[in-house]
Amino acid sequence: MTKEDAAIEPMRELRVDPAEWDGAVAAVAGPQIVVGGPGTGKTEFLVRRAEHLVTREQVAPDEILVLSFGRRGVADVADRIRNRLAETAAPIPALTFHALAADIVEAHAVSHGWITPPQILTGPEQSALVRELLTGEDPATWSVAFRGLLASATFAEEVTDFLLRASEQLLTPADVAAMARERDDWKGLAAFMERYRDELERRSRIDYGVLLSEANAIVESGHADLSRYAVVLVDEYQDTTVAQARLLAALSAPHRNLTAAADPYQSIYSFRGAALQNVARFPEQFRTASGEAAQRIVLTTSFRTPASILAAAERVTAHDLPGSAGRVTPANGAGRVDVHVFEQHTAEAEWIAREVTRLHLEERVPYGRMAVFVRSKRRFLPELSRSLQRRGVPHDPPNSRLAEQPAVRFVLDLVTATVSDEPAERLRALRRILLGPWFALPLGRLRDLERHTQRSGATLPAVLRADVPELADLAGLLGDRTWAETVPAAEGTWRVWSSLPQLAAVVTDDDRRAERAAWASLSQVLSRWNERNPDATLTDYQRLLVEEEFEAQPLLSYAAPETDWLTVTTLHQAKGLEFDVVFIADAVEGVFPDLRARDSLLGVRHLLPDVPREPGAYHRFRLQEERRLAYTAMTRAARRVVWTATSAGFEEGRGIPSRFLALVAGTATVADAATPPPGDRPPVTPAEAEALLRRIVGDPAERRPRRLAALDLLASGPRFGLRDPWSFNGLRRAGEDRGLVGPELRLSPSQAAAYLQCPRRYALQRRLGIADQPGPHASVGKLVHAVLEAAEQRALARGEPRSHAADAAAILDEVFDPDDFGGGPVAEAWRRRAALVIALLYEKWPADGHVIDVERRLEMEIGGAAWLGFADRIEKRGTDLAIVDYTTSGTAIPLAEASGSLQLGFYLLAARADRELTRHGTPRAAEFWYPYASRKTKRLPAVTSRCVAIGEIIGTRCSSATAAAAMALWLRHGPTRAATS
């Protein structure tokens, strides 16, 4: 007999084939652990045993307790039991371990020393309490390494995690103090743990870790009578912690009728304290009344996972685990495993989305029978979600975190715009609100309103109330801080909802289902939060989100979607699910496997008995758990598994394909594992057909008959379910055959200059709006003009001759919005450029004048046409006036060209015709200022006598119809008639 046989013999192992299930299910007495590989029916075994107990053994349903790891698992097993029992049967209690512990503590807390039953702290509430207590700590009692961190949110998170894991291991402050004798960095933790628990008791609060340890203490002290449960059934036992296993032992001790189902290869939650060895220890920990080891029931056959998928999954795990089931007979069918590597994330996402669509349409695979799993939601899912949305594939978008939903971000932006102490932060939040989908204010209108606020000195909410009647309700909210920082958060949200008529579309528009769900979830979250924290406001909620990374999710029981819905989620959330086709995407080194040490600043892993402490062994442990994660995800599939990765190099931030690809394919190297994805296939959706036809039409290498045929199909597209070609981007339907301008022609100097340069281009860009979007250089110009305008307005209000560089720098910080420049380092680079332009302007500022006006409106009639322009700056120099135009270009035009500028000439003419201006002096000069230009001459004045000549020439030309009238003729009647007139 081998050592392995000797170890197995006392466990009384029974291997059960499908034909032997009935007898095994009926043998209900004593402790048993049901072990099986993927799809072997472990949960089904528990469901049949529950049915047998009720229908054959006549055990009352309320005498059976079903436990599972998470809410989804509990909901699944409860539904399956309910479906097998008669409709008249009472439901069998099904709970998570934490729910069971909460019931025990709530029922027996007072008899166990609590003044009142404690309320459970959420994660962020626990972190907030820990941080509050840490700020009052004496630094001298802590390790030197952490004394400077006691007030930080990050260290509070570290201590919170330490306290949770210590409680899950049933460690007392005395236990931690004993362990701290060998770890200097744990100095102070034991005393803090004791003070923290005393504070919980004083406030009648409890966290999830203490909840489990307290439930254990109550049960083991005899205060709780749990003998009403005659049988306990446990699913996903491989995910249990030390505290959960000990609670289970106490719960089943009176009768020993305990059945647990587990697969050690699906143990993937060590970072949550799950004890990998719990399955192996089960036979010794749970013994019969006569002292025999618990029986192991091994399910030998998979009903889901076919041979090729199971073999590939086993190659990934590549090792044996204590307590495992051994070899599993695969399900019928060959199955299929594919490995594809792409050059870009976009190509990977597009292929997956297209393959999902193809499988759904060609092979009739429901969306609900397919899933895409990723290691990290933040990297790949946004790109994939966009590809799926373009094809109309229903799925949960990656921003499923409630705090990231647009509707919730809208409420948080409202809070910021109302109560923030930072003007720039308030302005950015308000701009997001106004430009967003709820109000959709045009950007130009917003710019006008912002200029109005700068000129008038009023606040933007006041300007909205006065000038934009449809936004008066919003302005009212912004002017009342009570809804955000005084009343409870749930009431504050109701005020927002009931005050803004624009939000009614959430209810009336059928296309806004996601927004309705977000509003409902937010209301529920805040209502439940206020039940525990009656005085907490929306401002408090926002602070939790920012400082504590609060995962704001509705406190609802799990419910699977009723519609045909593609599952897009993380690998950890795959456990317990079943699909026909599974995609494991973004499988690159550094992402999957993720071998970053999960160890915390305080070394929490040293609290966990099954996690190695030595660095090399810990690294191997982490790799093995990542292997088990891959195994778990792959074995969710009944027909096909597809691994995808991107081969772009590190310089693109993508990494290289995962080492797992070679294990999956059974090849020596990753390069040998990857096969190219299938080439061009016929389109399967109207959108793909349209794209193909448009490629053919636009490909000059295609044969002419083929291009003409494609063009004909596109032209008659609606007959075949394609879009009307006139709806393509960049196309407009032919309008009426008449001129582009009406009888009243209004011109500006820039329009006239553009027309004289190229009439056709002017007509296309200025009149038809067919032009490239303005780039960041133009945005910098607008920003600099806005800053200088505001600075000079403030100087004028103070009665000073001009502004100062410090004024402009402060205004730049106020009005700069990184979102206008794409955010991040790129936006910061453009901000530095704007700051440099402004600094150079003040450095080279001419000393011979003071400001009369800025953004001066100048208008006059020339040649029968109305002309309008805005001069950036009007200066008085002695008894004369000068008109200045700022230019942020890096290249200054020649002096001769500036002296012949139509724009400067118009400014000078119009200024001379402005009676209000001429009271200050005679306009004699018009100038371009180039602070950023590389030329030595930054200021390009037009000589006084020359400026007069320019003005006279412009007037002459306009009156003889060579400028304004000729332009009007061309626009109204077309180029042919204009050329002959």
Side-chain angles (χ1 to χ4, degrees):
M1 179 182 295
T2 65
K3 292 181 179 180
E4 288 77 7
D5 293 335
I8 292 175
E9 187 177 23
M11 298 180 189
R12 300 184 299 139
E13 181 171 283
L14 175 66
R15 299 186 69 84
V16 179
D17 293 330
E20 302 167 327
W21 265 49
D22 290 344
V25 167
V28 299
Q32 302 170 9
I33 183 164
V34 180
V35 182
T40 53
K42 298 179 292 297
T43 302
E44 179 65 17
F45 189 95
L46 297 180
V47 170
R48 292 193 187 184
R49 176 156 286 185
E51 179 192 24
H52 175 83
L53 288 167
V54 173
T55 60
R56 300 296 179 88
E57 302 287 342
Q58 301 301 307
V59 178
D62 61 358
E63 294 180 0
I64 303 170
L65 175 63
V66 177
L67 295 171
S68 189
F69 177 67
R71 289 181 292 126
R72 186 173 65 195
V74 166
D76 176 57
V77 71
D79 286 345
R80 291 167 67 173
I81 291 174
R82 185 165 50 250
N83 291 336
R84 291 191 72 94
L85 295 175
E87 293 183 2
T88 57
I92 292 177
L95 304 169
T96 64
F97 280 94
H98 285 100
L100 172 65
D103 287 349
I104 294 171
V105 171
E106 183 177 0
H108 305 285
V110 175
S111 62
H112 200 249
W114 293 79
I115 298 175
T116 59
Q119 289 184 322
I120 301 175
L121 292 171
T122 64
E125 289 170 344
Q126 182 188 7
S127 295
L129 175 58
V130 169
R131 188 176 184 186
E132 175 188 336
L133 297 178
L134 283 174
T135 55
E137 285 287 287
D138 179 5
T141 62
W142 286 78
S143 167
V144 175
F146 303 135
R147 290 175 184 176
L149 303 177
L150 293 178
S152 72
T154 300
F155 190 67
E157 291 284 355
E158 294 282 345
V159 175
T160 300
D161 187 51
F162 186 95
L163 296 174
L164 276 173
R165 303 309 159 216
S167 297
E168 288 172 346
Q169 302 305 316
L170 300 177
L171 297 174
T172 65
D175 296 328
V176 174
M179 300 170 73
R181 295 190 188 104
E182 300 179 1
R183 292 185 62 96
D184 292 339
D185 57 336
W186 285 7
K187 180 183 178 183
L189 276 171
F192 180 80
M193 184 177 179
E194 190 164 359
R195 283 192 292 276
Y196 167 75
R197 291 191 174 184
D198 290 342
E199 186 65 18
L200 286 180
E201 188 171 345
R202 188 185 71 79
R203 300 189 186 192
S204 195
R205 297 294 181 95
I206 196 169
D207 65 44
Y208 282 103
V210 176
L211 178 69
L212 286 170
S213 62
E214 188 68 10
N216 268 292
I218 291 173
V219 172
E220 293 174 353
S221 67
H223 284 94
D225 181 13
L226 300 177
S227 60
R228 67 179 183 276
Y229 296 124
V231 181
V232 179
L233 307 176
V234 183
D235 201 10
E236 306 287 4
Y237 184 73
Q238 74 277 353
D239 296 324
T240 54
T241 65
V242 169
Q244 291 166 340
R246 186 161 161 181
L247 179 61
L248 192 59
L251 186 64
S252 61
H255 50 73
R256 314 279 178 152
N257 296 324
L258 167 67
T259 305
D263 180 3
Y265 281 104
Q266 296 184 49
S267 178
I268 54 177
Y269 288 109
S270 68
F271 63 94
R272 292 185 182 175
L276 177 63
Q277 298 291 335
N278 270 357
V279 176
R281 286 192 287 256
F282 186 94
E284 294 296 325
Q285 185 175 2
F286 297 91
R287 292 180 169 270
T288 66
S290 61
E292 293 181 328
Q295 185 178 41
R296 274 171 50 93
I297 298 175
V298 179
L299 304 181
T300 62
T301 304
S302 176
F303 298 98
R304 179 180 68 234
T305 312
S308 62
I309 296 177
L310 186 60
E314 289 173 347
R315 285 196 297 270
V316 174
T317 55
H319 75 299
D320 293 327
L321 278 178
S324 62
R327 298 292 298 178
V328 175
T329 302
N332 293 331
R336 176 178 167 187
V337 179
D338 297 322
V339 175
H340 300 313
V341 177
F342 301 84
E343 293 183 356
Q344 296 179 348
H345 256 192
T346 302
E348 183 180 359
E350 281 292 304
W351 184 85
I352 291 175
R354 189 174 190 277
E355 185 67 2
V356 166
T357 306
R358 188 194 67 78
L359 289 168
H360 180 69
L361 296 176
E362 288 187 356
E363 300 187 20
R364 305 299 183 191
V365 181
Y367 288 126
R369 295 296 301 168
M370 292 184 280
V372 182
F373 299 139
V374 292
R375 187 65 174 84
S376 168
K377 275 190 174 183
R378 297 182 182 274
R379 276 178 46 94
F380 182 69
L381 286 195
E383 187 80 52
L384 175 64
S385 182
R386 287 189 289 270
S387 297
L388 294 170
Q389 286 172 347
R390 282 194 292 271
R391 289 166 174 80
V393 177
H395 69 288
D396 283 323
N399 58 342
S400 57
R401 183 172 180 257
L402 184 59
E404 296 170 353
Q405 295 296 319
V408 180
R409 295 308 315 171
F410 169 74
V411 175
L412 299 177
D413 279 338
L414 272 175
V415 173
T416 300
T418 303
V419 305
S420 175
D421 295 329
E422 297 293 333
E425 189 177 5
R426 283 202 311 272
L427 179 60
R428 284 195 292 269
L430 186 51
R431 294 186 75 211
R432 289 193 294 269
I433 293 169
L434 294 174
L435 297 174
W438 304 101
F439 299 99
L441 197 69
L443 181 59
R445 183 74 185 283
L446 177 61
R447 297 293 194 196
D448 290 341
L449 293 172
E450 290 175 346
R451 280 194 290 268
H452 188 173
T453 63
Q454 293 168 357
R455 291 170 182 163
S456 64
T459 63
L460 187 53
V463 172
L464 291 177
R465 186 182 294 108
D467 295 358
V468 192
E470 64 270 23
L471 299 183
D473 296 312
L474 173 63
L477 270 180
L478 297 172
D480 177 15
R481 300 168 66 101
T482 59
W483 65 269
E485 61 181 9
T486 302
V487 304
E491 182 181 340
T493 306
W494 171 249
R495 286 196 191 178
V496 172
W497 175 263
S498 57
S499 298
L500 300 177
Q502 291 82 1
L503 302 183
V506 175
V507 178
T508 59
D509 191 342
D510 291 337
D511 294 333
R512 307 187 89 155
R513 180 183 66 86
E515 290 166 308
R516 278 199 297 275
W519 274 104
S521 295
L522 177 64
S523 299
Q524 185 189 35
V525 166
L526 295 180
S527 296
R528 295 292 297 272
W529 191 47
N530 280 145
E531 288 176 8
R532 299 188 301 274
N533 306 275
D535 298 327
T537 66
L538 276 172
T539 306
D540 298 327
Y541 177 73
Q542 184 188 49
R543 186 173 60 253
L544 281 177
L545 290 174
V546 173
E547 296 182 0
E548 309 295 345
E549 297 183 355
F550 186 38
E551 181 65 78
Q553 293 285 8
L555 305 178
L556 297 171
S557 61
Y558 171 81
E562 297 178 357
T563 56
D564 191 14
W565 205 259
L566 176 72
T567 297
V568 180
T569 188
T570 63
L571 290 157
H572 278 95
Q573 292 173 332
K575 193 162 67 67
L577 303 177
E578 297 182 9
F579 303 96
D580 289 335
V581 181
V582 162
F583 296 85
I584 300 176
D586 194 28
V588 296
E589 285 294 313
V591 176
F592 191 40
D594 178 6
L595 298 180
R596 295 173 298 172
R598 288 189 179 274
D599 202 6
S600 65
L601 185 66
L602 294 171
V604 169
R605 69 181 171 90
H606 295 280
L607 295 172
L608 310 178
D610 295 338
V611 178
R613 300 188 178 185
E614 191 271 322
Y618 176 66
H619 179 83
R620 291 190 294 273
F621 176 86
R622 290 280 300 112
L623 177 58
Q624 292 294 350
E625 186 164 73
E626 291 290 289
R627 288 172 179 260
R628 294 196 297 273
L629 186 58
Y631 172 92
T632 301
M634 291 183 69
T635 55
R636 301 307 92 199
R639 289 173 48 184
R640 183 182 176 197
V641 175
V642 184
W643 284 70
T644 64
T646 301
S647 62
F650 286 109
E651 68 277 3
E652 296 186 28
R654 303 302 187 194
I656 58 177
S658 169
R659 70 189 74 181
F660 289 167
L661 301 187
L663 297 172
V664 168
T667 59
T669 66
V670 172
D672 296 333
T675 58
D680 291 338
R681 288 175 169 171
V684 294
T685 65
E688 289 181 358
E690 178 189 292
L692 175 61
L693 292 172
R694 295 182 71 176
R695 285 198 299 271
I696 293 173
V697 170
D699 186 357
E702 281 281 2
R703 290 170 297 157
R704 190 162 184 255
R706 183 172 165 84
R707 296 177 69 188
L708 289 174
L711 184 61
D712 181 66
L713 286 172
L714 285 173
S716 55
R719 291 172 48 201
F720 305 105
L722 306 181
R723 290 184 298 166
D724 186 328
W726 288 109
S727 66
F728 294 170
N729 289 340
L731 290 181
R732 285 189 179 181
R733 290 186 179 275
E736 296 182 37
D737 188 15
R738 58 189 177 89
L740 300 180
V741 296
E744 299 296 328
L745 175 64
R746 179 182 289 269
L747 292 173
S748 68
S750 62
Q751 287 185 31
Y755 173 78
L756 292 176
Q757 183 181 18
C758 179
R760 286 183 176 83
R761 183 175 181 182
Y762 168 81
L764 292 172
Q765 292 186 347
R766 298 298 184 98
R767 292 295 172 174
L768 294 177
I770 303 173
D772 295 333
Q773 293 296 318
H777 290 87
S779 298
V780 167
K782 291 181 180 179
L783 177 64
V784 169
H785 279 70
V787 169
L788 295 175
E789 179 185 354
E792 295 304 330
Q793 287 284 9
R794 295 182 187 182
L796 286 172
R798 295 192 299 262
E800 297 176 356
R802 65 180 55 185
S803 63
H804 304 286
D807 299 333
I811 294 171
L812 176 63
D813 290 338
E814 291 177 17
V815 303
F816 178 74
D817 187 349
D819 293 342
D820 290 344
F821 298 89
V826 174
E828 177 59 24
W830 286 110
R831 190 198 69 80
R832 289 197 300 270
R833 174 163 178 168
L836 177 60
V837 170
I838 293 170
L840 288 172
L841 180 63
Y842 280 89
E843 179 183 338
K844 303 294 183 180
W845 204 287
D848 54 346
H850 67 270
V851 179
I852 297 298
D853 201 359
V854 292
E855 282 295 308
R856 178 73 178 190
R857 181 187 181 99
L858 297 173
E859 52 187 332
M860 66 183 303
E861 183 175 313
I862 304 176
W867 286 60
L868 172 66
F870 288 87
D872 292 338
R873 175 188 188 87
I874 309 290
E875 277 198 353
K876 184 171 184 180
R877 300 173 186 168
T879 60
D880 297 333
L881 300 182
I883 300 95
V884 177
D885 188 79
Y886 310 125
T887 305
T888 56
S889 170
T891 304
I893 62 175
L895 183 60
E897 185 176 336
S899 299
S901 167
L902 185 152
Q903 182 175 358
L904 294 183
F906 167 75
Y907 286 156
L908 193 56
L909 275 180
R912 287 180 173 181
D914 188 323
R915 293 182 179 180
E916 182 182 350
L917 270 182
T918 53
R919 287 202 301 267
H920 295 280
T922 302
R924 293 191 183 278
E927 303 170 347
F928 287 127
W929 284 8
Y930 284 85
Y932 193 66
S934 59
R935 298 169 58 95
K936 293 182 179 180
T937 304
K938 306 296 182 181
R939 169 188 176 193
L940 297 181
V943 182
T944 303
S945 61
R946 180 59 175 160
C947 284
V948 175
I950 292 172
E952 293 171 351
I953 291 172
I954 291 174
T956 302
R957 286 182 176 175
C958 290
S959 62
S960 62
T962 57
M967 183 186 299
L969 183 66
W970 191 93
L971 292 173
R972 290 185 182 125
H973 304 294
T976 302
R977 182 171 175 183
T980 58
S981 298

